[in-house]
Amino acid sequence: MRRGSIAWLLGIGVVSGGVAAAVALALPWLPVDASREAGRIDFVFWFVVTICIVIFAVVAAAIIYSVVRFRAAPDDDSDGPPIHGNTRLEIAWTLIPTILVTAIGIVSAIVLSRNDALAKNALRVDVVAQQFTWTFKYPSGLTSATLALPKGRETQLRFTSLDVIHAFFVPEFRENEDIVPGLTTTINVTPTRVGTYPVICNELCGLGHATMRSTAVVMQPAAFDTWLKGQSKAVASPNTATAGAAIFKNNGCAACHTLTAAGASGKVGPDLDKLPAEAKQAGQPLAPFIQTSITDPNAYIQPGYPKNVMPQTFGKAFSKQQLDALVSYLISSSKGK
Ligand code: CUA
């Protein structure tokens, strides 16, 4: 090959690689990374992207050079020269991809095993997924509808599903995990950035899939301890208004229902400000109507709302005391509306 041709090939390759690198670096493709695991996963991502940019530059240079240099004249109908294989070229294009793919495999394996290594002082949170809500259970027995996490401490999330396949995804943590009925799956998260991030169900799981969202709140360790204590105290409060409000909040009710007293404006399920009118419509006294609607939601369906959307597990999840507190909270909150 002439020296001039090599210079052209190199030039086109450098320009195409530069353009591709600029597109990769200038645009904000990824959300902030908020965990140690995310940093490692991003490393694999950029490792692969760098390889891709180099390959893109080589291919672009070969194509652009060939299109210009070997362009046929408009009246040239002749066949090209007969070529039968090129052993050296074939060895090269087998060997180079093999080395690259093996390297990606090794880097990925190291990152995965590091992300899977669990620290001794890890916090364990059980995550229960069900159509269409998340419940986060802490070692103290506290349940919460939002995932509060202390910054800097490794947390193991253990997933179980009560019904169908869901998937847990927090883009800022970069990790996605399927939640399969009958299996317990896990991921580890070591938050590095205080903030509020979306928890998304990433597997089509039914009518309310798009509403199956929560938030992950990363706090300073001291703030996390305060939160944990405050929540536990509120749920166990002898004051039914305080306990009821905490139970309403911690079990994700606000995601689907409107209740002005709780600042909730969900539209998936019936409007809880109108409970007295709805009980009248159902022909039942208010208190037993509310209780049955929580423990056996399909017993009566408010016209205009679908069946089987409200989780049917709250009857088992709540103690008698918690249920009573929630019912009386809903009665007092909806009265006079
Ligand atoms: Cu749960 Cu989609």
Side-chain angles (χ1 to χ4, degrees), residues 166 201 203 205 209 212:
H166 304 272
C201 178
E203 186 83 52
C205 56
H209 161 69
M212 189 166 166

Side-chain angles (χ1 to χ4, degrees), residues 18-298:
V19 170
V23 170
L25 294 174
L27 297 180
W29 296 104
L30 301 172
V32 296
D33 60 303
S35 76
R36 201 171 295 157
E37 291 74 11
R40 295 184 190 127
I41 289 167
D42 284 359
F43 174 77
V44 180
F45 177 79
W46 289 114
F47 182 73
V48 174
V49 167
T50 306
I51 291 174
C52 291
I53 289 174
V54 172
I55 293 174
F56 173 78
V58 170
V59 171
I63 288 179
I64 295 171
Y65 178 82
S66 305
V67 163
V68 176
R69 174 84 169 70
F70 303 113
R71 188 182 163 83
D75 56 351
D76 180 4
D77 289 332
S78 64
D79 286 337
I83 295 171
H84 184 78
N86 184 325
T87 310
R88 263 195 288 175
L89 199 57
E90 283 172 24
I91 289 175
W93 77 39
T94 306
L95 210 58
I96 294 172
T98 306
I99 293 168
L100 292 179
V101 171
T102 308
I104 294 172
I106 291 171
V107 170
S108 304
I110 292 171
V111 164
L112 281 178
S113 80
R114 282 219 193 159
N115 281 358
D116 276 349
L118 192 60
K120 278 213 179 77
N121 72 336
L123 171 71
R124 286 189 166 80
V125 179
D126 288 314
V127 182
V128 181
Q130 60 185 302
Q131 293 169 319
F132 299 99
T133 185
W134 300 97
T135 313
F136 304 97
K137 292 186 182 167
Y138 289 82
S140 63
L142 174 80
T143 64
S144 171
T146 54
L147 175 60
L149 293 172
K151 182 187 162 189
R153 181 169 169 198
E154 187 168 20
T155 301
Q156 184 184 49
L157 301 174
R158 286 188 294 202
F159 302 102
T160 48
S161 168
L162 295 180
D163 37 48
V164 300
I165 302 176
H166 304 272
F168 175 92
F169 182 43
V170 175
E172 287 78 1
F173 296 160
R174 303 289 192 276
E175 293 166 293
N176 181 84
E177 186 68 33
D178 278 357
I179 309 173
V180 184
L183 287 183
T184 302
T185 49
T186 62
I187 53 169
N188 303 331
V189 180
T190 315
T192 51
R193 198 186 286 262
V194 169
T196 302
Y197 311 107
V199 172
I200 299 167
C201 178
N202 216 10
E203 186 83 52
L204 183 60
C205 56
L207 206 58
H209 161 69
T211 67
M212 189 166 166
R213 284 170 172 251
S214 178
T215 43
V217 186
V218 175
M219 310 170 178
Q220 293 291 357
F224 173 76
D225 289 341
T226 312
W227 175 86
L228 207 56
K229 271 187 209 125
Q231 292 295 310
S232 311
K233 221 164 145 191
V235 171
S237 168
N239 178 337
T240 52
T242 311
I247 292 162
F248 185 87
K249 191 170 141 238
N250 288 347
N251 288 280
C253 310
C256 292
H257 293 286
T258 291
L259 185 68
T260 309
S265 55
K267 297 267 183 276
V268 177
D271 184 341
L272 302 183
D273 283 338
K274 299 184 180 131
L275 276 171
E278 286 156 2
K280 210 171 273 175
Q281 227 177 322
Q284 293 173 34
L286 187 54
F289 170 71
I290 296 176
Q291 175 153 349
T292 312
S293 298
I294 295 167
T295 56
D296 185 10
N298 282 341

